[in-house]
Amino acid sequence: MTDFTPLEAMEGMTLVKPTEPSDDTLLAGYLRHYRLGVLLKDETTLHVGNIEAMPYRLWTQVWTPPQPRGTAIIVHGYYDHLGLYRHLLELLLEENLQVVMWDLPGHGLSSGERADIEDFAEYGQCLRQLQQRLTDEGLANGPWLGLGQSTGASILATDTLSHGDDDHWLGLVLLAPLVRPWNWTRSAWVHSIVGPFVSSVPRRFRPNSNDTDFTTFLREQDPLQPLRLPTGWVTAMRRWMPQLMELPSSQLPTLIIQGDNDLTVDGPWNLTVLEGKFPNATIHRHPEARHHLVNEIEPIRRELFEQVRQFINLLLVTAAVDARSQPICSNSRASQR
């Protein structure tokens, strides 16, 4: 398999033009391997490179269609990287949204110990730093629509609940969100026994989607997949779980989607918790979907993405109406003075 890690040395953000089949650069090969390059069409632009979010360098892509209606940021799941989110990227571009994607620390082409983190708070700090730097460089602007898969959903939920309703987020889409993993009682017991003596264990590639082509790709054709599970990451997750439970609720519009065949996170228990944290949430469950919802088989993905599409459009229409009414209110107040 091709080694894409030299791309970690790219400085800053570079504007990428549509690649020709003969383009043999490593970046072009990366875009082809993850089938991202085909989305560079209809005047859509792509900036790609590394953003400093101390102490990490984050591999980042900013996709911008003509006259975007808003800005969405995708936060991927554990073991993942942004190259696996082509389907969701395509959906958002179809809805004429600017899309920011990035690799979490220790994942994909971002810096950091592979698949590890000292504290879950670092994820949230990277998220806010990344958004601020993109804003400062004129590459993206809020308010932001956040879409997260699994651990990415937990990062977005924690950020929202930690900052209150600060108008930073227009809304959230939480896909198979992590609050606690599936079969957590047994896993926590094993971690308590083994964790102090072992720094990592081999990763087991369980089928996390009904799409066998996708699960085969993860196991056999993706050079950016971590092969070990650091026990330090599990320790950080165990510290984060009660912290999330203590955070106050948020009124932010939220869509939560969960598959009933998910054997990665404890879906029913997690939904109960998140219903309390996001009382305005719309919850959609699918009886056949597994965990990796953005890479489910096409019939399931089409149904789930339609839920996402409807939710996003309602948010954007509401935001547009609010934006149009704001100057009118201001002018009316001015004329009365």
Side-chain angles (χ1 to χ4, degrees):
M1 289 186 287
T2 303
D3 179 13
F4 295 120
T5 57
L7 293 172
E8 297 173 3
M10 284 184 62
E11 296 291 339
M13 299 291 285
T14 300
L15 178 63
V16 177
K17 297 181 180 179
T19 58
E20 298 294 333
S22 60
D23 192 338
D24 60 356
T25 66
L26 188 61
L27 178 57
Y30 168 91
L31 294 173
R32 281 195 298 268
H33 188 72
Y34 295 107
R35 300 176 63 192
L36 297 172
V38 296
L39 300 181
L40 271 176
K41 57 185 180 181
D42 300 329
E43 301 182 59
T44 295
T45 63
L46 168 62
H47 286 82
V48 59
N50 289 290
I51 295 288
E52 298 288 338
M54 298 303 293
Y56 300 103
R57 299 184 76 208
L58 304 176
W59 178 251
T60 305
Q61 296 181 10
V62 181
W63 296 75
T64 307
Q67 299 180 330
R69 296 193 294 161
T71 304
I73 186 166
I74 297 174
V75 189
H76 67 72
Y78 188 58
Y79 287 142
D80 283 353
H81 57 89
L82 66 83
L84 303 177
Y85 284 68
R86 177 180 61 87
H87 296 306
L88 184 56
L89 169 62
E90 185 173 21
L91 166 70
L92 297 173
L93 290 176
E94 287 175 354
E95 293 303 316
N96 206 30
L97 285 165
Q98 183 179 53
V99 184
V100 175
M101 305 197 295
W102 57 296
D103 288 346
L104 293 175
H107 291 73
L109 295 173
S110 289
S111 66
E113 294 296 324
R114 292 298 86 187
D116 205 358
I117 201 75
E118 180 69 23
D119 193 305
F120 264 43
E122 294 182 35
Y123 289 140
Q125 292 162 7
C126 285
L127 172 63
R128 288 275 172 152
Q129 286 188 59
L130 174 68
Q131 292 172 302
Q132 188 60 56
R133 289 188 178 275
L134 291 175
T135 300
D136 292 344
E137 295 181 19
L139 291 174
N141 295 291
W144 300 81
L145 175 66
L147 300 97
Q149 163 78 32
S150 193
T151 297
S154 73
I155 294 167
L156 288 170
T158 303
D159 180 84
T160 300
L161 298 173
S162 298
H163 289 87
D165 296 320
D166 62 355
D167 295 327
H168 181 78
W169 297 105
L170 185 62
L172 299 182
V173 176
L174 308 180
L175 304 167
L178 168 68
V179 179
R180 76 177 185 189
W182 179 76
N183 200 20
W184 175 238
T185 301
R186 179 181 181 278
S187 299
W189 178 81
V190 172
H191 174 260
S192 298
I193 299 298
V194 175
F197 307 103
V198 178
S199 61
S200 67
V201 296
R203 175 186 177 184
R204 288 188 289 176
F205 283 84
R206 296 189 180 95
N208 60 359
S209 166
N210 289 290
D211 187 338
T212 56
D213 289 340
F214 172 71
T215 57
T216 299
F217 178 83
L218 289 185
R219 188 175 61 253
E220 301 178 4
Q221 301 166 17
D222 186 0
L224 297 180
Q225 285 298 305
L227 300 179
R228 300 191 68 84
L229 167 62
T231 54
W233 187 88
V234 181
T235 300
M237 180 187 66
R238 294 187 70 171
R239 289 198 303 267
W240 162 78
M241 290 166 61
Q243 295 170 2
L244 174 72
M245 302 292 289
E246 294 174 1
L247 291 173
S249 63
S250 170
Q251 301 299 316
L252 187 72
T254 303
L255 172 66
I256 304 174
I257 301 181
Q258 178 63 52
D260 288 341
N261 278 344
D262 191 331
L263 297 182
T264 300
V265 300
D266 188 345
W269 192 88
N270 295 348
L271 289 178
T272 299
V273 172
L274 292 173
E275 281 182 298
K277 295 298 181 183
F278 295 94
N280 286 335
T282 299
I283 297 177
H284 180 80
R285 299 176 66 166
H286 193 285
E288 300 174 12
R290 294 186 179 179
H291 181 64
H292 214 295
L293 300 180
V294 299
N295 282 291
E296 262 294 356
I297 55 175
E298 198 273 337
I300 294 177
R301 191 176 69 247
R302 183 174 62 246
E303 177 183 332
L304 301 183
F305 277 13
E306 184 57 30
Q307 296 291 322
V308 176
R309 195 187 304 272
Q310 292 177 13
F311 177 77
I312 288 174
N313 277 295
L314 179 60
L315 284 179
L316 293 175
V317 168
T318 302
V321 171
D322 291 343
R324 286 196 299 267
S325 64
Q326 187 63 38
I328 296 174
C329 294
S330 299
N331 292 337
S332 297
R333 286 195 296 269
S335 64
Q336 293 172 0
R337 288 196 293 266

